Amino acid sequence: MGRGMAVLGPMLTLDALVETLVIGVGTLSGVKVLKTMCCFGCLSVVTNYLAFMTFYPACLALIFEVLCFLSQSSGFFRAKKLGNLGLRKMVKATDGISCLVPFSAFPSRNK
């Protein structure tokens, strides 16, 4: 999670900053409706940026923690090794729903 944020975070920050500046230029016009629309556009870009940099990663990390806890405690999920990717695929036994989790999330007995 941290590595992904380290790689994508600066790019998302730059994109949000440039979008805000470009849309913000419209607020300098003399047209009242255009000013209002650009203000709301800037507000939506900033809100979207804050959600994707704070709330979304936190929820994703929480989901991974819950899945790892379920896999270790109840045997509800079964894990499969996925080659050299350093990941295990967690498959829900009843539905076939799956997600990818790093090897470090599993105890050594599952290797």
Side-chain angles (χ1 to χ4, degrees), residues 43-97:
L43 184 64
S44 82
V45 169
V46 170
T47 305
N48 189 30
Y49 170 75
L50 290 175
F52 275 106
M53 292 300 283
T54 58
F55 183 72
Y56 180 72
C59 288
L60 195 57
L62 182 64
I63 288 170
F64 282 151
E65 284 291 323
V66 168
L67 287 177
C68 290
F69 175 76
L70 287 175
S71 71
Q72 293 174 2
S73 64
S74 67
F76 188 63
F77 289 85
R78 55 187 164 89
K80 294 182 185 177
K81 186 175 178 182
L82 292 179
N84 296 329
L85 295 177
L87 298 170
R88 286 187 184 259
K89 185 176 184 181
M90 296 181 67
V91 180
K92 188 174 177 182
T94 55
D95 298 338
I97 298 171

